[in-house]
């Protein structure tokens, strides 16, 4: 069989290298041509499809697969081809792909993978696969070069359901272990010791086994990137919505990944969520940004950014009302300057003072005693009808 391969991303490249090392002759196509240069490659995916009997695909997401199969590839190049799509897809898309390829007289296999680069390197990935069973026989020997096991399912969509369930579990395990480590470190315990104890205790898991060294050395070069796990959780959300189901941990888990993406950590390995979780309130990017906006007089934005942080803090968090106090300062300025409501502003500044007076000893980032004295001054200015716009409560 003539073998084609599309997608030389982190996992795709590792699979191709493994297949070649096991004696498979293949041609590749990758959108960014530089990644394909060291392999037998085609510049046009149509040529790859035309010249192959079976085409393995592993690209970013369902939109990319849709674009490739139904916009770039000409319909006649799909006819009679076996297409093994190892991308982690959206459940609804995968059923469409199967149908559309069938209509073009091709054979679509939905074939998501469990495992990452280390498993690809040793040929021990696990594949969940569904599609035409008789055609599968023709390609089993190729699949076996990079998998230790594959599970066949009669119903299209089942592999994707299970793959997304698996990645939901991965996200939960990832965050529980990473948060345990960062909380432990913030309490003054050495990271290597925490990892050692977790490995011998409740944290013992495949995840910790493969990521321990990366976490220890803070080597967040990607094996499986944060943005891809974020994508998968969004697919999982769509899936459970379809089944009218609800998850208690999906939202907070996904939020951490979203924050990592917003901080430009999306291309890092999933273990890189460490960088987000390591933060405490005072080095959280929203706290820093909120204070900066307050200092420069962008009260509305400062309020929004700090409120986002506040909403995420559990009610029992010691600093929740501290943040609330600063939010009230932003709101007080906004009420006075933008809404021209001095009485309303006065009440809000009093609230700010009440919240912050519980933190008189706090002077890590802000000298609270000084801030309270400044709030009293500003209330005095409001009472005397003075302009408060250039007076800074927090310098
Ligand atoms: N990495 C893992 O450990 C792992 C494990 C299981 C499943 N998966 C799944 O496998 C897939 C690939 O993962 P990866 O880690 O290899 O991803 P990656 O490193 O981010 O690479 C993405 C690949 O998709 C290609 N691509 C993106 N958009 C495209 C488009 N519109 N048209 C054509 N090609 C496009 C990229 O081409 P360019 O080079 O041109 O950008 C690149 O080859 C994802 O669905 C992921 O969820 C990954």
């Amino acid at each position: 069989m003539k073998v084609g391969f599309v997608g030389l991303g982190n996992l795709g490249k590792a699979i191709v290298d493994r297949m070649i090392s096991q004696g498979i002759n293949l041609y590749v196509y990758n959108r960014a041509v530089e990644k394909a240069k060291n392999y037998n490659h085609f510049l046009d995916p149509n040529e790859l499809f035309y010249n192959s009997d079976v085409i393995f695909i592993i690209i970013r997401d369902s939109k990319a697969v849709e674009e490739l199969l139904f916009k770039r590839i000409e319909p006649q190049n799909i006819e009679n081809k076996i297409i093994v799509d190892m991308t982690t897809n959206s459940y609804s898309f995968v059923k469409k792909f199967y149908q559309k390829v069938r209509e073009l007289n091709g054979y679509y296999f939905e074939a998501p993978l469990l495992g990452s680069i280390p498993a690809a390197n040793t040929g021990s990935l696990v594949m969940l696969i569904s599609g035409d069973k008789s055609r599968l026989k023709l390609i089993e020997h190729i699949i076996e070069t990079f998998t230790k096991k594959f599970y066949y399912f009669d119903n299209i969509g089942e592999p994707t359901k299970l793959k997304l369930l698996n990645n939901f579990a991965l996200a939960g395990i990832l965050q529980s272990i990473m948060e345990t480590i960062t909380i432990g470190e913030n309490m003054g315990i050495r990271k290597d010791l925490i990892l050692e104890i977790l490995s011998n205790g409740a944290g013992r898991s495949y995840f910790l086994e493969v990521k321990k060294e990366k976490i220890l050395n803070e080597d967040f070069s990607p094996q499986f990137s944060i943005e891809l796990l974020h994508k998968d959780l969004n697919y999982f959300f769509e899936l459970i919505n379809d089944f009218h189901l609800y998850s208690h941990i999906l939202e907070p888990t996904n939020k951490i990944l979203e924050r990592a993406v917003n901080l430009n950590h999306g291309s890092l390995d999933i273990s890189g969520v460490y960088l987000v979780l390591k933060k405490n309130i005072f080095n959280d990017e929203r706290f820093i940004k909120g204070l900066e906006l307050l200092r420069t007089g962008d009260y509305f934005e400062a309020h929004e950014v700090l409120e986002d942080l506040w909403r995420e803090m559990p009610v029992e968090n010691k600093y929740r009302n501290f943040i609330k106090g600063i939010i009230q300062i932003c709101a007080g300025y906004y009420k006075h300057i933008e809404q021209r409501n001095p009485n309303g502003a006065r009440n809000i500044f009093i609230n700010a003072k009440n919240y912050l007076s519980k933190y008189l000893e706090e002077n890590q980032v802000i000298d609270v005693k000084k801030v309270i004295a400044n709030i009293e001054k500003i209330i005095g200015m409001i009472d005397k009808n003075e302009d408060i716009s250039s007076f800074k409560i927090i310098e």
Side-chain angles (χ1 to χ4, degrees), residues 7-12 29-32 35 58-61 64 67-68 86-88 113-117 163 223-225 227-228 231-232:
L8 293 172
N10 291 319
L11 188 55
Y29 164 78
N30 191 67
R31 187 182 56 174
K35 291 186 193 164
I58 181 159
I59 54 179
R60 186 188 167 87
D61 57 15
E67 189 184 302
L68 174 80
M86 303 182 291
T87 306
T88 305
L113 295 167
L114 308 183
S116 190
I117 295 174
K163 170 65 192 174
Q223 290 176 338
F224 179 41
S225 70
E227 58 198 3
L228 290 182
K231 170 217 28 140
D232 293 349

Side-chain angles (χ1 to χ4, degrees), residues 168 171 175 179 233 246-259 277 312:
F168 171 57
Q175 305 226 6
E179 196 158 20
L233 286 195
Y246 175 78
S247 155
H248 298 271
I249 64 162
L250 180 59
E251 197 187 322
T253 309
N254 209 9
K255 182 113 202 224
I256 301 293
L257 298 176
E258 197 174 297
R259 274 184 63 208
L277 295 171
E312 210 174 84

Side-chain angles (χ1 to χ4, degrees), residues 110 129-131 152-159:
E110 169 204 16
I129 188 163
S130 181
Y152 178 79
F153 298 84
D154 287 326
N155 296 330
I156 201 86
E158 291 300 289

Side-chain angles (χ1 to χ4, degrees), residues 27-53:
Y27 274 79
V28 302
Y29 164 78
N30 191 67
R31 187 182 56 174
V33 68
E34 318 83 68
K35 291 186 193 164
K37 282 210 164 116
N38 294 331
Y39 301 92
N40 291 328
H41 66 279
F42 288 106
L43 297 175
D44 181 342
N46 274 294
E47 282 186 59
L48 182 95
F49 271 65
Y50 180 79
N51 287 292
S52 308
D53 301 308

